[in-house]
Every structure is written in structure tokens, then in C-alpha cells.
Amino acid sequence: GNSVTQMEGPVTLSEEAFLTINCTYTATGYPSLFWYVQYPGEGLQLLLKATKADDKGSNKGFEATYRKETTSFHLEKGSVQVSDSAVYFCALRSYNQGGKLIFGQGTELSVKP
Amino acid sequence: GAVVSQHPSWVICKSGTSVKIECRSLDFQATTMFWYRQFPKQSLMLMATSNEGSKATYEQGVEKDKFLINHASLTLSTLTVTSAHPEDSSFYICSARDREGAGNTIYFGEGSWLTVV
């Protein structure tokens, strides 16, 4: 079945450091890929998405490129801020499974000033 | 923008009692709603998919008699945890699919913390 694997956390960075959170997936067909963010005490928010191969999703300085050849959707940001501290979830959605989202295990990011 | 509201945000109940969590789409119609459960520092686990006017589809390993899901209208789905036990304590999140939105966008509620004592 479909699955998503993320790098394990927690990830601790200093402010203005470069961030990469790896995400790889297994899926049949052509899934859409997403990154969600969960700030402390809040629900999930969609951060960015890509719906086809080579698409790049971007938002709030974060980027991720849909790489079909490596089945990856790594999240990157050039310069993180303390306010980026949160849990990040990679997810895929495949319409051959009723459109439900399949999540990775989440990666906790802690940014220190 | 589209908003999904969950209520209550926090609930504490006694072991053996039942508790209901509501999920409402406030400015769109949602033919499909999803219920997830999240244990501390773990990922979201899909519990069930709820389609308006029909029975929910439960994921493998989820007890349908314990986690009752009702989707009576296009804007409301409810999750009832029956005969709750401490191991049911968790963070429950619903999401709703906007059937009119571009790309069938899914929006999440803010979640409900359930503590069973």
C-alpha cells in the first residue's frame, strides 16, 4: 500500500541555519504530495503541495520539489527562524485510495535563537 | 477562507463514559470527512472516512463499535468514543473535503484533546 517515510526528529537548528527534512514515498499511480505543519497546541495547517512530477511547492520560504525518479519530496528552507519550530508532516494523497491522506511520522523541528 | 471547527477543544471524562466530538465545516459543504488520531510525538493515524448519508469506512484495527461516526449533514460529522478508557486518551483531528473547491482541498480542524481519567 501507499506509505510515507520521513527523517526522524527531533531536528535542532540555530536561527538562520539551512533546513532539510527528507521525505520519501511509496505509491501506485500519481499521488499528490503535501507538507503540513503543526505548531505547538494547534491543529494541522497545509504548508505547501505539489500535484505532479517536477512541480515545486513553496510557501513562507519553504520549498519542496516532487521528484518522481527518486520518489521524494524533501522540505527545505534557506534560513529558519525560531517561529518555524513545529512538527512537520509529509503526506500523500492518491485518488485510487478514496482521496485520503497518508501521513509520515512527523519531524519535530526546534530552532534556537 | 474555509474553516473547519472542532468542539470541544479539550475534554476530560471519566472511564466508562462516552464523549462526543463534533466536526463542522463552517463555510463549505463537505461530502467527505476524515477522522484521525494522534498519539504524543507520533504521526496521524487515519481512523475512518465518513461520507455524508452513509456508513463510515473504518481503517483496519479501529473498533467501529467503540468509535461511532455519524455524518448526518454536509457540514457536520461527529465522533463518539463509547465506554472510554484511559488508553483512548489522545488528540483527535478531523478534516473535511471541500467538494466545490479547486483540487478537492482538504481542511483540518484544530483538534480535540481527550483525557480519560
Side-chain angles (χ1 to χ4, degrees):
Chain A
N2 297 343
S3 67
V4 177
T5 303
Q6 288 179 235
M7 64 185 287
E8 286 192 22
V11 173
T12 302
L13 296 174
S14 297
E15 207 165 22
E16 299 184 1
F18 184 87
L19 168 72
T20 300
I21 300 178
N22 290 336
C23 171
T24 57
Y25 68 91
T26 301
T28 55
Y30 302 94
S32 296
L33 301 174
F34 305 82
W35 276 100
Y36 283 85
V37 57
Q38 186 178 28
Y39 296 103
E42 299 184 16
L44 286 173
Q45 301 176 30
L46 177 63
L47 180 60
L48 54 84
K49 68 178 182 181
T51 57
K52 61 183 187 297
D54 299 325
D55 268 2
K56 177 186 283 187
S58 61
N59 185 26
K60 299 182 180 180
F62 291 89
E63 292 183 340
T65 301
Y66 188 145
R67 301 286 188 200
K68 191 165 178 63
E69 65 276 13
T70 54
T71 61
S72 65
F73 193 55
H74 304 322
L75 181 68
E76 296 182 337
K77 186 174 185 181
S79 176
V80 293
Q81 305 299 313
V82 173
S83 57
D84 293 327
S85 298
V87 180
Y88 292 81
F89 291 93
C90 184
L92 72 81
R93 186 163 145 205
S94 177
Y95 284 94
N96 65 1
Q97 285 201 320
K100 60 189 179 186
L101 284 163
I102 306 297
F103 287 88
Q105 68 270 37
T107 303
E108 182 179 0
L109 170 66
S110 178
V111 180
K112 306 297 184 186
Chain B
V3 176
V4 173
S5 173
Q6 267 186 254
H7 178 80
S9 299
W10 303 83
V11 58
I12 299 174
C13 70
K14 290 185 177 180
S15 189
T17 63
S18 296
V19 60
K20 180 185 288 187
I21 301 170
E22 293 185 346
C23 178
R24 294 182 184 272
S25 56
L26 297 186
D27 56 2
F28 66 96
Q29 292 185 327
T31 51
T32 304
M33 289 185 173
F34 304 89
W35 286 95
Y36 294 84
R37 180 176 183 177
Q38 184 183 24
F39 293 100
K41 297 188 181 297
Q42 294 188 30
S43 187
L44 290 145
M45 182 190 77
L46 179 64
M47 298 175 67
T49 302
S50 164
N51 292 300
E52 186 265 337
S54 64
K55 290 184 179 180
T57 302
Y58 289 81
E59 295 299 303
Q60 192 172 8
V62 178
E63 298 176 63
K64 61 182 67 176
D65 293 331
K66 181 168 185 62
F67 298 100
L68 300 179
I69 291 172
N70 183 278
H71 193 161
S73 77
L74 285 171
T75 59
L76 173 65
S77 176
T78 60
L79 167 67
T80 301
V81 183
T82 63
S83 187
H85 290 283
E87 58 265 31
D88 298 325
S89 299
S90 188
F91 187 55
Y92 294 87
I93 302 178
C94 74
S95 65
R97 180 188 294 160
D98 181 356
R99 68 174 185 174
E100 301 293 341
N104 275 305
T105 305
I106 293 179
Y107 300 94
F108 282 82
E110 293 191 341
S112 301
W113 286 100
L114 169 63
T115 301
V116 184
V117 298

